[in-house]
Amino acid sequence: MTSPTLRNEYRRERCARPYRAASKAIAAARVAIAARRTTAAVYASCIPAANVGAAFRVGAYVCRWIERPADAGLREVGAADSVAPRSVRHKGWYLDDDAQDETARGAVFQLPARKGVPQFVAAVLDPFNDGPAIVAFDDITDDAVTAAHWADQLAERYAENEREYSRAANARAHFDDLHSDIVSNRREALALIAEAKESRGSFGPKVCATVRAAVESLLRDIRKARAKRDRLESTFAGNAGWNA
């Protein structure tokens, strides 16, 4: 990673979403550079060393990414499917629409006991790194199975967010590619029109018809690309992945 711009965009991505894999942060940084959506801010050379990240929302849950749960007083009880095997009959929710990527797997963590009664919270095991977890502290229960159900719901919503984010990021990349196509087609159409004007009178009817058809085809492609860009922006512009 020798490019200073790529390095800075990678750091921005890691600071914004420390729970994402480094490979995905690099990919997102390259997309941002290709789309000319780089930032002028200079980011530090590493992720802040804090064990507990800033609060962020996953659906109705307020969560924190915790690098070392044990250091925060949390003991991992187990994955949701092992704590409540009768009701959670899978090992996680896929983060991509093709069901080939990482999965978000719910987990239960135990807090220090309250008046001798164990306390449990729902979490998602970090899909990209071994050890960290995404923990929801807003609901606490003394029943581990209940926490497992919450954790599975949290993991499902987290995975939905990731899929939505990826769809929007991919849509934005396509949106930008369509702009490049429009510029290229417009340039080609103008060149054909200019050449036809310069050679006016020297072209026969068949050549003129061919040039006219080529220009009309380019203009149709431009209209289609613009309409598709409008649909993409209308559908995905409200998602964070659109401006990632």
Side-chain angles (χ1 to χ4, degrees):
M1 195 188 302
T2 57
S3 165
T5 302
L6 177 58
R7 188 180 305 115
N8 193 58
E9 286 304 305
Y10 167 77
R11 291 169 182 166
R12 178 187 66 80
E13 216 21 70
R14 292 288 280 163
C15 287
R17 282 170 284 275
Y19 47 85
R20 293 175 71 87
S23 60
K24 292 206 170 188
I26 293 172
R30 286 173 175 153
V31 168
I33 291 171
R36 297 181 181 178
R37 297 197 304 275
T38 55
T39 178
V42 177
Y43 284 80
S45 61
C46 62
I47 300 173
N51 182 38
V52 180
F56 63 96
R57 188 170 290 278
V58 178
Y61 298 91
V62 178
C63 302
R64 289 182 182 272
W65 180 83
I66 302 181
E67 184 178 6
R68 297 179 301 278
D71 291 353
L74 297 169
R75 182 179 70 82
E76 184 176 346
V77 178
D81 51 278
S82 63
V83 176
R86 292 185 177 181
S87 51
V88 183
R89 300 182 179 181
H90 58 86
K91 295 186 181 296
W93 301 87
Y94 281 103
L95 304 185
D96 69 312
D97 289 324
D98 297 325
Q100 295 180 347
D101 210 334
E102 293 89 352
T103 58
R105 191 179 187 187
V108 176
F109 281 82
Q110 182 175 337
L111 298 168
R114 182 180 299 169
K115 295 182 179 180
V117 179
Q119 304 293 305
F120 304 98
V121 290
V124 178
L125 299 176
D126 189 326
F128 309 109
N129 305 282
D130 291 333
I134 298 156
V135 184
F137 290 104
D138 38 356
D139 287 317
I140 300 174
T141 177
D142 58 6
D143 181 53
V145 172
T146 297
H149 294 160
W150 291 347
D152 188 49
Q153 293 168 6
L154 175 63
E156 181 181 15
R157 184 56 184 151
Y158 175 88
E160 287 175 359
N161 286 356
E162 286 293 304
R163 292 194 298 269
E164 290 170 2
Y165 182 94
S166 295
R167 288 187 207 114
N170 291 335
R172 181 56 189 261
H174 188 34
F175 178 87
D176 294 335
D177 288 342
L178 287 169
H179 174 70
S180 298
D181 292 343
I182 289 171
V183 171
S184 177
N185 287 341
R186 186 173 183 275
R187 187 183 299 116
E188 186 177 349
L190 290 173
L192 285 172
I193 292 170
E195 185 177 353
K197 287 181 177 180
E198 290 177 3
S199 304
R200 185 178 299 168
S202 62
F203 285 167
K206 290 185 177 179
V207 173
C208 288
T210 300
V211 172
R212 188 180 302 110
V215 171
E216 290 175 352
S217 177
L218 289 167
L219 293 178
R220 281 196 301 273
D221 288 345
I222 289 172
R223 287 193 294 271
K224 289 178 181 178
R226 285 174 175 166
K228 190 162 189 178
R229 274 168 58 89
D230 289 343
R231 290 194 298 272
L232 288 171
E233 186 171 20
S234 175
T235 303
F236 295 103
N239 189 283
W242 181 260
N243 295 313

